[in-house]
Amino acid sequence: MTTALPSAQHRTLEPDGLATSELAIVGMHCASCVLRVQRSLDADPAVASAAVNLATERAYVTFDPTAISVDALCQAVAAAGYSAQELPEHSAVPDEPVDRDGWRWRAMVSWPLALSALMIALLAPESSVSGWIVLLLGIAVQIVGGWPFLRSSIRLLRHRAVNMDTLVTLGTLAALAVSAVEAIALGGRHLHLGGSGAFAARLHGAMAPLIIAVLATGRAIEARARARATRALHSLVALRPPTARLVVGTREGDGADRAVPPESVPVGARIRVLPGETIPLDGEVVDGWSAVDESMLTGEPIAVEHGPGSLVTGGTRNGSGILVVEVRAIASESVLARLQHLVDDAMSQKPPLQRVADRVSAVFVPVVLLVSAATFLGWWVVASNLGTAVLSAIAVLLVACPCAMGLAAPVAMMVGCGRASALGILIRNGDALERLADVDMVAFDKTGTLTMGIATVAAVTPATGHSTDAVLDVAAAVEADIEHPIARAICAAHRTSQRAAGVAVLPGVGVTGRVGDRSVRVVRAQEGELPAELERAAREFRSRGETVVAVVVNDRPVGVLAVSTPLRQEASDAIGRLHEFGIRTAILSGDSEEAVSSIARQLSIDTACGGLDPEQKLSALQALRSGSAGMVMVGDGVNDAPALAAADVGCAIGSGSEAALSTSDITLVGSDLQCVPAAIGIASATYAVTLENFGWAMGYNLSALPLAAAGLLDPLVAAVAMGLSSLLVVANSLRLTRLGRDGPASVRPPRLSRGRRALAVAVALPVVLFAATTVGAQLVSPAKGQSLLPTLPDIVEVTLPTGGQAEMYLDPGSPGPNQFHLILPSAPSFAPRVTASHDGGSPEQLRQFSVGPGHYVDLVTITPGTWRFSVTTTIHHRTVTFDMSRTVA
Ligand code: ADP
Ligand code: MG
């Protein structure tokens, strides 16, 4: 395979003396972190450009190495409150961002502590002891479970900065303050915030640890999902096995091979690949035959037979034979490493949508702080409701989620590009992906693109006085070093010992050179330029759909060759799928009109233009492009390069020329045309998911903040919503991992609308959803007096003549069947006698069931009115009689 891909070095020296480094950044959580890191790098005049990616936790910095060192760059990042480390050159497998802050164990420790605090707050009698236990549990969870929040916000505070973590820290500390007030100032009695009832008051006493537990769980799940998304991206380099079997000594099969890291194997060394093993490096087979599964590079689930002389690629899997391979490229320059570098490059550029998101979220955290302060003051000063003031201000801090906005585009891009590269489609940058999502026309080159890279000479007609061999001999001499399918066909048909001098390629026309003292041209045969006998042959070849090439010696045509270029097997299906997607197709070719239109008919391609030289190709492309919303050009040759560069998206066939590869936005590694519709499908799916994510993040924050400020969101609900919102963005992006599981032909474009309307829908969706769930939650929320649990009943207390208190309550305390509860200060020796009378009616004896020491229960049917309960019992061996009454409405 020919490649013009950049080298795999992570620090590359560019022609203008600038160097590019890749830094791993630790400590970024949201888009405002990204912006701070970005600014800390941009601040130095020696930095030409910096791109920071939240999803991969990387920064790509281009700088003047004579003016600033990488260490100084890392220090600049550290000064902003984050840590940076340069990734080693040639680092083949970038480490995945995992759960570095240990959110998993933090969540696991936080939950039992938080639930104990909740149980105590809900069930234990209000006392100073229970108040203090809840407070201490809250502090423990705040420190153990919420340490990363604290650490990051303290670190930023020192640099007078705020981020997402500042919001969480402030919110949870305020919640903790509620517990502290209860324990320290109120002797364990519960604060009734917002007049929301006894149950909610008990709940809010323990909300701080619960919020931390919820948030830690959210972060733990998010970290896992992000690691999964990163794996999708880095699946390429992970293909390389950790060791290679280096063959030492000359006798093969003597078992004398040594396991070494593939990175240490030099060019020219021989490695052995056993059945079922993954081939570690690129090279040429010198011994053995085997079917190699190349699907990991091409997405095509067909094994390819390889034997001596054929080239194998690192990362593909050996079938049942044993292969000895002579290494042709070191690990860092292998196809795999180059492809990975392309993918990494794509990640280093921000798609336009993300740039908008970053700008929005840069001002986001300060705005939320202001909204929270205003909410507090508004409820306190204007509405004189301190309880709601505290709860709503906390809810505002906790519900805002800039994370979702920061992750919206990069995670989707990461998964989308990862899927594409797994199918052998390399998308060079986010811009190209966005443009690709919008195309409605695809133009193909013919030779080498729609037709196979391999052509054959089908017939030769020499002019009178010349022999077939002589014609082929001069043609092969000129074509010997040319990479064009026609050139390869001529050289394969005839071996010559001659070599032409001064060979020049005429793109889209042919080749010229000098053989001995003769000037030779092997060129496209123009109609009407040939002598009659050759013209007749040419016409016949053309009618068979073959490409006709004229061999001209000293300006005199000496023969014509018919080159048959078979169509790629999958061409027809690929075109069919494009049409299914509603995309128009065209051929732009240098070959004759006749050959081109015959192929267009065969493949039912909409528009056919033949006989084009590179400039004409370009202008034909521009004409087509003016009538379309976005256009892809697919090509392989040198003559396609200008068109590839001019199209909205240039797509090069992997087996094509270097010029084509280096001017294109997309490379089809496996030269599989099915990858063209697949790439469009993946791009539109990725773009649709990005829009959804972005819209969700916007809509979520737009709707959640006002609701929280209005006092309609409980802080606990706010914390759950915030955790869910960034999770949703990551989970939504992970849907893309399913694209094209069964090869490129299985990619379906999403049935989703695009453009502004889609964005509007995406924003509106969470707004509606959120409003609906808030209304729903309000109806059942325990915090709003609409208890999920039965409301705690009114307790009637009576002071006994023997000292101590008896308590009685009716559960539920409304008309209908009720439990009558009687609680005595100590257990009597006999069950108490209880009679109940209604509005002065005759007393009725109740049967008592003991449910605990001194605790008795009976069932009574209560009707509205005043009920009097007379109790006779013994306490400390004295008989005591007392009455209690309850009025039921
Ligand atoms: P396409 O645009 O269909 O890919 P090319 O532009 O590569 O085709 O070639 C256009 C025409 O130019 C071919 O049909 C052939 O006649 C001629 N041609 C191009 N390259 C060569 C070559 N190396 N030897 C002979 N003829 C060539
Ligand atoms: Mg071509």
Short mmCIF file of all heavy atoms in Angstrom, two decimals, residues 521-579:
data_model
loop_
_atom_site.label_atom_id
_atom_site.label_comp_id
_atom_site.label_asym_id
_atom_site.label_seq_id
_atom_site.Cartn_x
_atom_site.Cartn_y
_atom_site.Cartn_z
N ARG A 521 5.68 8.03 -26.48
CA ARG A 521 4.55 8.44 -25.66
C ARG A 521 3.57 7.29 -25.56
O ARG A 521 3.28 6.64 -26.57
CB ARG A 521 3.83 9.64 -26.31
CG ARG A 521 4.61 10.95 -26.15
CD ARG A 521 3.76 12.12 -26.60
NE ARG A 521 3.51 12.07 -28.03
CZ ARG A 521 2.35 12.43 -28.60
NH1 ARG A 521 1.35 12.82 -27.84
NH2 ARG A 521 2.20 12.38 -29.91
N VAL A 522 3.12 7.02 -24.34
CA VAL A 522 2.05 6.03 -24.16
C VAL A 522 0.91 6.83 -23.58
O VAL A 522 0.96 7.27 -22.43
CB VAL A 522 2.48 4.90 -23.20
CG1 VAL A 522 1.40 3.84 -23.11
CG2 VAL A 522 3.80 4.29 -23.66
N VAL A 523 -0.09 7.08 -24.41
CA VAL A 523 -1.10 8.07 -24.03
C VAL A 523 -2.52 7.65 -24.41
O VAL A 523 -2.71 6.70 -25.16
CB VAL A 523 -0.82 9.43 -24.71
CG1 VAL A 523 0.42 10.07 -24.15
CG2 VAL A 523 -0.71 9.24 -26.22
N ARG A 524 -3.44 8.41 -23.86
CA ARG A 524 -4.84 8.23 -24.20
C ARG A 524 -5.00 8.40 -25.71
O ARG A 524 -4.45 9.33 -26.30
CB ARG A 524 -5.64 9.31 -23.48
CG ARG A 524 -7.09 9.28 -23.75
CD ARG A 524 -7.78 10.22 -22.84
NE ARG A 524 -7.36 11.60 -23.09
CZ ARG A 524 -7.68 12.63 -22.31
NH1 ARG A 524 -8.34 12.42 -21.21
NH2 ARG A 524 -7.31 13.84 -22.61
N ALA A 525 -5.73 7.48 -26.34
CA ALA A 525 -5.92 7.55 -27.79
C ALA A 525 -7.11 8.44 -28.08
O ALA A 525 -8.25 8.06 -27.82
CB ALA A 525 -6.14 6.15 -28.35
N GLN A 526 -6.83 9.62 -28.63
CA GLN A 526 -7.91 10.54 -28.99
C GLN A 526 -8.54 10.05 -30.28
O GLN A 526 -7.85 9.60 -31.20
CB GLN A 526 -7.34 11.95 -29.25
CG GLN A 526 -6.69 12.58 -28.07
CD GLN A 526 -7.68 13.20 -27.12
OE1 GLN A 526 -8.52 12.49 -26.58
NE2 GLN A 526 -7.58 14.50 -26.90
N GLU A 527 -9.84 10.19 -30.37
CA GLU A 527 -10.50 9.77 -31.59
C GLU A 527 -10.06 10.67 -32.75
O GLU A 527 -9.90 11.87 -32.57
CB GLU A 527 -12.01 9.86 -31.42
CG GLU A 527 -12.62 8.47 -31.39
CD GLU A 527 -14.05 8.49 -30.92
OE1 GLU A 527 -14.27 8.71 -29.71
OE2 GLU A 527 -14.92 8.29 -31.77
N GLY A 528 -9.85 10.05 -33.90
CA GLY A 528 -9.49 10.83 -35.07
C GLY A 528 -8.01 11.12 -35.20
O GLY A 528 -7.57 11.71 -36.18
N GLU A 529 -7.21 10.72 -34.18
CA GLU A 529 -5.78 11.01 -34.24
C GLU A 529 -4.99 9.84 -34.80
O GLU A 529 -3.81 9.98 -35.09
CB GLU A 529 -5.25 11.29 -32.83
CG GLU A 529 -5.41 12.72 -32.39
CD GLU A 529 -4.83 12.92 -31.00
OE1 GLU A 529 -4.34 11.92 -30.39
OE2 GLU A 529 -4.84 14.04 -30.54
N LEU A 530 -5.66 8.69 -34.90
CA LEU A 530 -4.94 7.49 -35.28
C LEU A 530 -5.13 7.19 -36.76
O LEU A 530 -6.15 7.58 -37.34
CB LEU A 530 -5.47 6.30 -34.47
CG LEU A 530 -5.26 6.38 -32.96
CD1 LEU A 530 -6.03 5.26 -32.27
CD2 LEU A 530 -3.79 6.30 -32.62
N PRO A 531 -4.13 6.50 -37.36
CA PRO A 531 -4.33 6.04 -38.73
C PRO A 531 -5.50 5.06 -38.78
O PRO A 531 -5.84 4.45 -37.77
CB PRO A 531 -3.01 5.35 -39.08
CG PRO A 531 -2.31 5.12 -37.79
CD PRO A 531 -2.82 6.13 -36.83
N ALA A 532 -6.10 4.94 -39.95
CA ALA A 532 -7.35 4.21 -40.10
C ALA A 532 -7.31 2.80 -39.52
O ALA A 532 -8.23 2.39 -38.81
CB ALA A 532 -7.72 4.15 -41.59
N GLU A 533 -6.20 2.05 -39.76
CA GLU A 533 -6.19 0.65 -39.30
C GLU A 533 -6.25 0.58 -37.77
O GLU A 533 -6.92 -0.27 -37.20
CB GLU A 533 -4.93 -0.06 -39.83
CG GLU A 533 -3.69 0.82 -39.69
CD GLU A 533 -2.38 0.06 -39.83
OE1 GLU A 533 -2.42 -1.18 -39.87
OE2 GLU A 533 -1.32 0.71 -39.87
N LEU A 534 -5.51 1.51 -37.11
CA LEU A 534 -5.52 1.51 -35.65
C LEU A 534 -6.85 2.03 -35.12
O LEU A 534 -7.37 1.56 -34.13
CB LEU A 534 -4.37 2.35 -35.11
CG LEU A 534 -2.96 1.80 -35.40
CD1 LEU A 534 -1.90 2.71 -34.79
CD2 LEU A 534 -2.80 0.37 -34.88
N GLU A 535 -7.41 3.01 -35.81
CA GLU A 535 -8.68 3.60 -35.39
C GLU A 535 -9.78 2.53 -35.37
O GLU A 535 -10.60 2.49 -34.44
CB GLU A 535 -9.06 4.74 -36.36
CG GLU A 535 -10.28 5.54 -35.93
CD GLU A 535 -10.08 6.26 -34.60
OE1 GLU A 535 -9.08 6.98 -34.47
OE2 GLU A 535 -10.93 6.08 -33.69
N ARG A 536 -9.72 1.65 -36.36
CA ARG A 536 -10.74 0.59 -36.43
C ARG A 536 -10.63 -0.31 -35.19
O ARG A 536 -11.62 -0.62 -34.53
CB ARG A 536 -10.53 -0.25 -37.71
CG ARG A 536 -11.84 -0.64 -38.38
CD ARG A 536 -11.62 -1.37 -39.71
NE ARG A 536 -10.72 -0.66 -40.64
CZ ARG A 536 -9.55 -1.16 -41.11
NH1 ARG A 536 -9.14 -2.37 -40.74
NH2 ARG A 536 -8.83 -0.46 -41.94
N ALA A 537 -9.39 -0.70 -34.89
CA ALA A 537 -9.17 -1.55 -33.71
C ALA A 537 -9.63 -0.82 -32.44
O ALA A 537 -10.30 -1.40 -31.58
CB ALA A 537 -7.70 -1.93 -33.60
N ALA A 538 -9.27 0.46 -32.38
CA ALA A 538 -9.59 1.24 -31.18
C ALA A 538 -11.10 1.28 -30.97
O ALA A 538 -11.61 1.13 -29.84
CB ALA A 538 -9.03 2.65 -31.30
N ARG A 539 -11.83 1.49 -32.09
CA ARG A 539 -13.28 1.59 -31.96
C ARG A 539 -13.86 0.28 -31.43
O ARG A 539 -14.76 0.27 -30.60
CB ARG A 539 -13.88 1.93 -33.33
CG ARG A 539 -15.14 2.79 -33.19
CD ARG A 539 -15.61 3.32 -34.53
NE ARG A 539 -14.61 4.13 -35.22
CZ ARG A 539 -14.34 4.04 -36.53
NH1 ARG A 539 -14.96 3.15 -37.27
NH2 ARG A 539 -13.43 4.83 -37.07
N GLU A 540 -13.26 -0.83 -31.91
CA GLU A 540 -13.77 -2.12 -31.47
C GLU A 540 -13.50 -2.33 -29.97
O GLU A 540 -14.36 -2.79 -29.22
CB GLU A 540 -13.10 -3.24 -32.29
CG GLU A 540 -13.76 -4.58 -32.11
CD GLU A 540 -12.85 -5.72 -32.53
OE1 GLU A 540 -12.15 -5.57 -33.55
OE2 GLU A 540 -12.82 -6.73 -31.80
N PHE A 541 -12.28 -1.95 -29.56
CA PHE A 541 -11.94 -2.08 -28.12
C PHE A 541 -12.90 -1.25 -27.28
O PHE A 541 -13.40 -1.70 -26.26
CB PHE A 541 -10.51 -1.59 -27.85
CG PHE A 541 -9.44 -2.41 -28.53
CD1 PHE A 541 -8.21 -1.83 -28.84
CD2 PHE A 541 -9.66 -3.75 -28.86
CE1 PHE A 541 -7.21 -2.57 -29.46
CE2 PHE A 541 -8.66 -4.49 -29.48
CZ PHE A 541 -7.44 -3.90 -29.79
N ARG A 542 -13.14 -0.02 -27.70
CA ARG A 542 -14.01 0.87 -26.92
C ARG A 542 -15.40 0.30 -26.79
O ARG A 542 -16.02 0.39 -25.75
CB ARG A 542 -14.10 2.25 -27.61
CG ARG A 542 -12.90 3.11 -27.31
CD ARG A 542 -13.16 4.56 -27.65
NE ARG A 542 -11.88 5.24 -27.75
CZ ARG A 542 -11.28 5.54 -28.91
NH1 ARG A 542 -11.88 5.26 -30.06
NH2 ARG A 542 -10.10 6.13 -28.91
N SER A 543 -15.87 -0.33 -27.93
CA SER A 543 -17.23 -0.85 -27.89
C SER A 543 -17.32 -1.99 -26.87
O SER A 543 -18.38 -2.31 -26.36
CB SER A 543 -17.66 -1.33 -29.28
OG SER A 543 -16.92 -2.50 -29.60
N ARG A 544 -16.16 -2.62 -26.55
CA ARG A 544 -16.17 -3.67 -25.53
C ARG A 544 -15.98 -3.09 -24.13
O ARG A 544 -15.84 -3.81 -23.16
CB ARG A 544 -15.02 -4.66 -25.80
CG ARG A 544 -15.18 -5.45 -27.08
CD ARG A 544 -14.45 -6.77 -26.99
NE ARG A 544 -13.02 -6.61 -26.78
CZ ARG A 544 -12.10 -6.88 -27.70
NH1 ARG A 544 -12.45 -7.31 -28.89
NH2 ARG A 544 -10.83 -6.73 -27.43
N GLY A 545 -15.91 -1.78 -24.04
CA GLY A 545 -15.76 -1.13 -22.74
C GLY A 545 -14.32 -1.11 -22.26
O GLY A 545 -14.07 -0.95 -21.08
N GLU A 546 -13.37 -1.32 -23.18
CA GLU A 546 -11.97 -1.31 -22.76
C GLU A 546 -11.35 0.06 -22.96
O GLU A 546 -11.80 0.86 -23.77
CB GLU A 546 -11.19 -2.38 -23.54
CG GLU A 546 -11.50 -3.77 -23.00
CD GLU A 546 -11.26 -4.88 -24.02
OE1 GLU A 546 -10.97 -4.58 -25.20
OE2 GLU A 546 -11.38 -6.05 -23.61
N THR A 547 -10.30 0.32 -22.17
CA THR A 547 -9.61 1.59 -22.29
C THR A 547 -8.55 1.46 -23.39
O THR A 547 -7.80 0.48 -23.41
CB THR A 547 -8.92 1.93 -20.96
OG1 THR A 547 -9.94 2.06 -19.98
CG2 THR A 547 -8.12 3.21 -21.04
N VAL A 548 -8.52 2.44 -24.29
CA VAL A 548 -7.58 2.33 -25.41
C VAL A 548 -6.40 3.27 -25.19
O VAL A 548 -6.57 4.45 -24.90
CB VAL A 548 -8.27 2.67 -26.74
CG1 VAL A 548 -7.33 2.39 -27.90
CG2 VAL A 548 -9.55 1.89 -26.88
N VAL A 549 -5.19 2.69 -25.30
CA VAL A 549 -3.98 3.48 -25.11
C VAL A 549 -3.16 3.39 -26.40
O VAL A 549 -3.01 2.30 -26.96
CB VAL A 549 -3.17 2.92 -23.92
CG1 VAL A 549 -1.85 3.66 -23.79
CG2 VAL A 549 -3.98 3.00 -22.64
N ALA A 550 -2.68 4.53 -26.85
CA ALA A 550 -1.88 4.53 -28.07
C ALA A 550 -0.40 4.58 -27.71
O ALA A 550 -0.01 5.27 -26.77
CB ALA A 550 -2.24 5.73 -28.93
N VAL A 551 0.43 3.83 -28.44
CA VAL A 551 1.88 3.91 -28.25
C VAL A 551 2.43 4.69 -29.45
O VAL A 551 2.24 4.30 -30.59
CB VAL A 551 2.51 2.50 -28.19
CG1 VAL A 551 4.01 2.61 -27.95
CG2 VAL A 551 1.83 1.68 -27.09
N VAL A 552 3.06 5.82 -29.14
CA VAL A 552 3.51 6.71 -30.20
C VAL A 552 5.03 6.82 -30.14
O VAL A 552 5.58 7.17 -29.10
CB VAL A 552 2.88 8.11 -30.03
CG1 VAL A 552 3.27 9.01 -31.21
CG2 VAL A 552 1.36 7.99 -29.91
N VAL A 553 5.71 6.45 -31.24
CA VAL A 553 7.17 6.54 -31.27
C VAL A 553 7.54 7.62 -32.29
O VAL A 553 7.10 7.56 -33.44
CB VAL A 553 7.80 5.18 -31.66
CG1 VAL A 553 9.31 5.32 -31.81
CG2 VAL A 553 7.46 4.14 -30.60
N ASN A 554 8.36 8.57 -31.86
CA ASN A 554 8.75 9.69 -32.72
C ASN A 554 7.54 10.29 -33.43
O ASN A 554 7.55 10.46 -34.66
CB ASN A 554 9.80 9.24 -33.75
CG ASN A 554 11.13 8.94 -33.05
OD1 ASN A 554 11.38 9.44 -31.94
ND2 ASN A 554 11.95 8.13 -33.69
N ASP A 555 6.48 10.55 -32.64
CA ASP A 555 5.26 11.17 -33.14
C ASP A 555 4.48 10.31 -34.12
O ASP A 555 3.55 10.79 -34.77
CB ASP A 555 5.55 12.54 -33.78
CG ASP A 555 5.93 13.55 -32.72
OD1 ASP A 555 5.45 13.37 -31.57
OD2 ASP A 555 6.71 14.48 -33.02
N ARG A 556 4.87 9.06 -34.29
CA ARG A 556 4.09 8.20 -35.17
C ARG A 556 3.47 7.06 -34.36
O ARG A 556 4.20 6.35 -33.65
CB ARG A 556 4.99 7.64 -36.28
CG ARG A 556 4.16 7.45 -37.52
CD ARG A 556 4.88 7.51 -38.86
NE ARG A 556 6.16 8.19 -38.91
CZ ARG A 556 7.30 7.56 -39.18
NH1 ARG A 556 7.35 6.25 -39.32
NH2 ARG A 556 8.42 8.25 -39.29
N PRO A 557 2.14 6.90 -34.42
CA PRO A 557 1.50 5.81 -33.67
C PRO A 557 1.97 4.47 -34.19
O PRO A 557 1.91 4.22 -35.41
CB PRO A 557 0.00 6.00 -33.94
CG PRO A 557 -0.14 7.42 -34.41
CD PRO A 557 1.13 7.75 -35.10
N VAL A 558 2.48 3.61 -33.29
CA VAL A 558 2.96 2.29 -33.72
C VAL A 558 2.04 1.18 -33.27
O VAL A 558 2.23 0.03 -33.64
CB VAL A 558 4.39 2.02 -33.20
CG1 VAL A 558 5.37 3.03 -33.79
CG2 VAL A 558 4.43 2.02 -31.68
N GLY A 559 1.04 1.52 -32.44
CA GLY A 559 0.11 0.47 -32.03
C GLY A 559 -0.88 0.97 -31.00
O GLY A 559 -0.69 2.04 -30.42
N VAL A 560 -1.94 0.18 -30.82
CA VAL A 560 -2.89 0.51 -29.74
C VAL A 560 -3.04 -0.70 -28.82
O VAL A 560 -2.95 -1.84 -29.28
CB VAL A 560 -4.29 0.93 -30.28
CG1 VAL A 560 -4.23 2.32 -30.87
CG2 VAL A 560 -4.83 -0.09 -31.26
N LEU A 561 -3.22 -0.40 -27.53
CA LEU A 561 -3.42 -1.46 -26.55
C LEU A 561 -4.84 -1.33 -26.00
O LEU A 561 -5.32 -0.22 -25.79
CB LEU A 561 -2.46 -1.32 -25.36
CG LEU A 561 -0.99 -1.04 -25.65
CD1 LEU A 561 -0.24 -0.87 -24.33
CD2 LEU A 561 -0.43 -2.20 -26.43
N ALA A 562 -5.48 -2.49 -25.80
CA ALA A 562 -6.78 -2.47 -25.12
C ALA A 562 -6.53 -2.91 -23.69
O ALA A 562 -6.01 -3.99 -23.45
CB ALA A 562 -7.74 -3.42 -25.80
N VAL A 563 -6.81 -2.02 -22.75
CA VAL A 563 -6.61 -2.38 -21.34
C VAL A 563 -7.98 -2.56 -20.72
O VAL A 563 -8.84 -1.67 -20.80
CB VAL A 563 -5.84 -1.27 -20.61
CG1 VAL A 563 -5.62 -1.65 -19.15
CG2 VAL A 563 -4.51 -1.02 -21.30
N SER A 564 -8.17 -3.75 -20.17
CA SER A 564 -9.48 -3.92 -19.52
C SER A 564 -9.29 -3.73 -18.02
O SER A 564 -8.39 -4.28 -17.41
CB SER A 564 -10.08 -5.28 -19.86
OG SER A 564 -9.56 -6.26 -19.03
N THR A 565 -10.13 -2.83 -17.51
CA THR A 565 -10.07 -2.52 -16.09
C THR A 565 -11.37 -2.98 -15.47
O THR A 565 -12.38 -2.31 -15.59
CB THR A 565 -9.90 -1.00 -15.88
OG1 THR A 565 -10.87 -0.35 -16.71
CG2 THR A 565 -8.52 -0.53 -16.26
N PRO A 566 -11.34 -4.15 -14.83
CA PRO A 566 -12.60 -4.67 -14.29
C PRO A 566 -13.12 -3.77 -13.19
O PRO A 566 -12.34 -3.19 -12.43
CB PRO A 566 -12.22 -6.05 -13.75
CG PRO A 566 -10.74 -6.03 -13.62
CD PRO A 566 -10.20 -5.03 -14.57
N LEU A 567 -14.45 -3.66 -13.14
CA LEU A 567 -15.08 -2.87 -12.07
C LEU A 567 -14.81 -3.52 -10.74
O LEU A 567 -14.71 -4.74 -10.64
CB LEU A 567 -16.59 -2.83 -12.29
CG LEU A 567 -17.08 -1.88 -13.35
CD1 LEU A 567 -18.58 -2.01 -13.50
CD2 LEU A 567 -16.73 -0.45 -12.94
N ARG A 568 -14.70 -2.68 -9.71
CA ARG A 568 -14.62 -3.26 -8.36
C ARG A 568 -15.92 -3.98 -8.10
O ARG A 568 -17.00 -3.49 -8.42
CB ARG A 568 -14.43 -2.16 -7.32
CG ARG A 568 -13.02 -1.61 -7.30
CD ARG A 568 -12.85 -0.62 -6.19
NE ARG A 568 -11.67 0.19 -6.41
CZ ARG A 568 -10.45 -0.16 -6.00
NH1 ARG A 568 -10.28 -1.29 -5.33
NH2 ARG A 568 -9.42 0.61 -6.25
N GLN A 569 -15.76 -5.14 -7.46
CA GLN A 569 -16.88 -6.01 -7.18
C GLN A 569 -18.02 -5.28 -6.48
O GLN A 569 -19.18 -5.51 -6.75
CB GLN A 569 -16.34 -7.06 -6.22
CG GLN A 569 -16.66 -8.46 -6.51
CD GLN A 569 -15.88 -9.27 -5.48
OE1 GLN A 569 -14.68 -9.08 -5.26
NE2 GLN A 569 -16.57 -10.16 -4.82
N GLU A 570 -17.64 -4.41 -5.53
CA GLU A 570 -18.65 -3.81 -4.66
C GLU A 570 -19.17 -2.49 -5.22
O GLU A 570 -20.03 -1.88 -4.62
CB GLU A 570 -18.09 -3.62 -3.25
CG GLU A 570 -17.11 -2.45 -3.07
CD GLU A 570 -15.70 -2.71 -3.60
OE1 GLU A 570 -15.49 -3.77 -4.22
OE2 GLU A 570 -14.84 -1.84 -3.43
N ALA A 571 -18.64 -2.08 -6.43
CA ALA A 571 -18.97 -0.75 -6.93
C ALA A 571 -20.48 -0.56 -7.08
O ALA A 571 -21.05 0.45 -6.64
CB ALA A 571 -18.28 -0.51 -8.26
N SER A 572 -21.12 -1.56 -7.68
CA SER A 572 -22.53 -1.43 -7.97
C SER A 572 -23.35 -1.31 -6.68
O SER A 572 -24.24 -0.47 -6.56
CB SER A 572 -22.96 -2.63 -8.81
OG SER A 572 -24.32 -2.72 -8.84
N ASP A 573 -23.02 -2.15 -5.68
CA ASP A 573 -23.74 -2.08 -4.40
C ASP A 573 -23.51 -0.74 -3.72
O ASP A 573 -24.44 -0.16 -3.14
CB ASP A 573 -23.25 -3.18 -3.45
CG ASP A 573 -23.75 -4.54 -3.87
OD1 ASP A 573 -24.67 -4.58 -4.72
OD2 ASP A 573 -23.21 -5.55 -3.37
N ALA A 574 -22.27 -0.25 -3.79
CA ALA A 574 -21.96 1.00 -3.12
C ALA A 574 -22.74 2.15 -3.73
O ALA A 574 -23.31 2.98 -3.04
CB ALA A 574 -20.46 1.27 -3.20
N ILE A 575 -22.81 2.18 -5.09
CA ILE A 575 -23.56 3.23 -5.77
C ILE A 575 -25.03 3.11 -5.42
O ILE A 575 -25.70 4.10 -5.13
CB ILE A 575 -23.38 3.12 -7.31
CG1 ILE A 575 -21.89 3.18 -7.69
CG2 ILE A 575 -24.19 4.17 -8.03
CD1 ILE A 575 -21.26 4.52 -7.64
N GLY A 576 -25.52 1.87 -5.41
CA GLY A 576 -26.92 1.63 -5.08
C GLY A 576 -27.24 2.17 -3.69
O GLY A 576 -28.29 2.78 -3.48
N ARG A 577 -26.33 1.96 -2.76
CA ARG A 577 -26.58 2.43 -1.39
C ARG A 577 -26.57 3.95 -1.31
O ARG A 577 -27.36 4.54 -0.58
CB ARG A 577 -25.57 1.82 -0.43
CG ARG A 577 -26.13 0.54 0.09
CD ARG A 577 -25.34 -0.29 1.03
NE ARG A 577 -24.30 0.32 1.79
CZ ARG A 577 -24.43 0.75 3.04
NH1 ARG A 577 -25.60 0.71 3.63
NH2 ARG A 577 -23.40 1.24 3.67
N LEU A 578 -25.69 4.57 -2.10
CA LEU A 578 -25.67 6.04 -2.11
C LEU A 578 -27.02 6.56 -2.61
O LEU A 578 -27.58 7.48 -2.05
CB LEU A 578 -24.54 6.54 -3.00
CG LEU A 578 -23.14 6.41 -2.40
CD1 LEU A 578 -22.09 6.78 -3.42
CD2 LEU A 578 -23.01 7.30 -1.16
N HIS A 579 -27.52 5.92 -3.67
CA HIS A 579 -28.83 6.35 -4.20
C HIS A 579 -29.92 6.15 -3.16
O HIS A 579 -30.79 6.99 -3.00
CB HIS A 579 -29.16 5.58 -5.48
CG HIS A 579 -28.29 6.03 -6.63
ND1 HIS A 579 -28.12 5.28 -7.76
CD2 HIS A 579 -27.53 7.13 -6.80
CE1 HIS A 579 -27.30 5.91 -8.60
NE2 HIS A 579 -26.92 7.03 -8.03
#
